[in-house]
Amino acid sequence: MTSIEDAVTPAPTGPDARRANVARRWALLAFAWTLPGALQLVQEATYGRAYGLEGLAHWRALPLYLTAWLPWIPLTAVVVRATRRLSPRRIGWARSALGHAALATAAGGLHLVAVGWIRMSFPPDHWPPAWVPASMGAWLKQSFWSFQLQAEFLAYLLVVAATLAFDHDRGVQAERARALELEARLHQAQLSALRNQLRPHFLFNALNSAVVLAEQDGAAAATMLRRISTLLRTSLEREGEESVCLADELELARHYLGIESVRFADRLSTSFAVDPEALDLEVPAWILQPLVENAVRHGVAPLARRGHVRVGAALDGDELRLTVEDDGVGVAGADGGSAAGVGLGLRGTRERLRAAFGERGRLDVEALDAGGTRVSVALPAVERAAGTERDA
């Protein structure tokens, strides 16, 4: 909504748009101040008809009446600025009231003097002599008894009230905008904190696996470290990215499962079932990592037999569903609480989904009847922005 100050003050836009806006606002302000004159003309015609002056060509006085209130255009600019300076919060109610009273008297008096001079200097030729003020003093006296002076005060009050109302609305909008900006910043900070919390958690676990393997099989540990190096490089390349395409996220999961396959040798097998149409969809960075890590460390690792981890991705209407299943020992506490097997990774992922997508971002943990666990993630299916390159 445009305030009265905006109507008389150039808007901070580009040069061409600024000039156009200023011209438009001044034109609107000029039109608004022709309305009281038009109403006065109607009043004069009604008055003339009531006193048997139907033959007078009132339309000849149209220019006089339509321009009678135009001096209030610059006065409006003065009143708008003064209204802010006379704010009771700044100077107190008593000084504010005295200031407005003085300014209203001065503004109304100046306008009446301007109108009186015009009426005396350029009276319409159809006016009876009695309608032409004999002097400025007579005109001011006539204005008082005909409630013209009171109309000046009313005009002043309307400008003040409109200024306060529009400024209040603009203040409310500014507060709402600031609140939204703070909320967005908090939201972004929350996402970044959760992402940065998960990434060191994964890297710590991967390096810990390499240390354990080094005591058992040096060659296998070297292979694992090379794959960890690949993951570290990917991590650096993704620095600052909150989202990636699903294909890149799946590649990262393959790297991790490759690392764990070295550690577990023939005790871990993996598979991927991915809808090709979902590969270019946008997903939060590192969203799959804690899911596959949870399946390996808490599902397959405790097994004495060979375990399997299956990663899936499929479209379901406007929703993307990611699943990670294992046929391991199962996870106690499928509600995703603090039970064994549902720790930092899944809790952080759930919070991250909730922060990013609200009710449309979900993480569910389900114990399978045949043994094992399925972790499912649901989030909006969003196409990766055009021109965004995949990670190398």
Side-chain angles (χ1 to χ4, degrees), residues 137-176:
W139 161 247
L140 294 176
K141 182 178 180 181
Q142 175 188 344
S143 299
F144 178 81
W145 291 110
S146 63
F147 298 100
Q148 181 66 29
L149 183 60
Q150 292 83 338
E152 299 292 341
F153 283 109
L154 179 61
Y156 180 89
L157 290 176
L158 286 175
V159 173
V160 172
T163 302
L164 294 176
F166 283 121
D167 285 355
H168 174 73
D169 180 73
R170 187 172 62 178
V172 169
Q173 292 183 8
E175 287 296 327
R176 185 181 296 115

Side-chain angles (χ1 to χ4, degrees), residues 6-246:
D6 292 334
V8 296
T9 304
T13 57
D16 294 338
R18 180 177 177 177
R19 285 191 292 269
N21 287 335
V22 170
R24 179 177 57 84
R25 290 167 181 171
W26 279 103
L28 289 174
L29 197 58
F31 173 77
W33 281 116
T34 61
L35 296 180
L39 293 176
Q40 283 186 324
L41 180 60
V42 173
Q43 180 184 20
E44 179 192 313
T46 303
Y47 175 84
R49 182 178 296 275
Y51 284 87
L53 302 175
E54 295 91 341
L56 294 180
H58 296 290
W59 62 268
R60 295 180 182 176
L62 183 62
L64 175 67
Y65 280 96
L66 291 182
T67 58
W69 287 84
L70 293 186
W72 260 101
I73 296 177
L75 289 175
T76 298
V78 174
V79 173
V80 166
R81 286 164 173 76
T83 298
R84 285 194 175 84
R85 292 183 176 276
L86 296 174
S87 171
R89 293 183 179 180
R90 295 181 66 249
I91 62 175
W93 284 100
R95 295 179 63 187
S96 177
L98 289 174
H100 277 298
L103 183 58
T105 301
L110 285 173
H111 180 240
L112 284 178
V113 169
V115 173
W117 178 80
I118 294 173
R119 285 174 175 255
M120 289 186 293
S121 302
F122 310 99
D125 54 8
H126 73 282
W127 272 12
W131 287 20
V132 181
S135 63
M136 187 61 68
W139 161 247
L140 294 176
K141 182 178 180 181
Q142 175 188 344
S143 299
F144 178 81
W145 291 110
S146 63
F147 298 100
Q148 181 66 29
L149 183 60
Q150 292 83 338
E152 299 292 341
F153 283 109
L154 179 61
Y156 180 89
L157 290 176
L158 286 175
V159 173
V160 172
T163 302
L164 294 176
F166 283 121
D167 285 355
H168 174 73
D169 180 73
R170 187 172 62 178
V172 169
Q173 292 183 8
E175 287 296 327
R176 185 181 296 115
R178 281 193 291 270
L180 290 175
E181 181 180 0
L182 289 175
E183 182 180 356
R185 290 182 178 179
L186 178 62
H187 175 80
Q188 188 69 21
Q190 183 181 14
L191 291 177
S192 297
L194 289 170
R195 184 196 64 185
N196 292 332
Q197 181 185 40
L198 292 175
R199 185 171 58 186
H201 176 68
F202 152 67
L203 293 175
F204 169 80
N205 287 332
L207 289 173
N208 186 61
S209 296
V211 171
V212 172
L213 188 61
E215 299 175 355
Q216 305 169 357
D217 187 340
T223 301
M224 178 179 286
L225 288 173
R226 283 193 294 271
R227 291 185 174 178
I228 291 176
S229 175
T230 300
L231 284 178
L232 287 172
R233 185 178 68 252
T234 302
S235 174
L236 292 174
E237 290 171 350
R238 287 187 176 186
E239 184 66 33
E241 290 190 11
E242 292 294 341
S243 62
V244 296
C245 69
L246 178 60

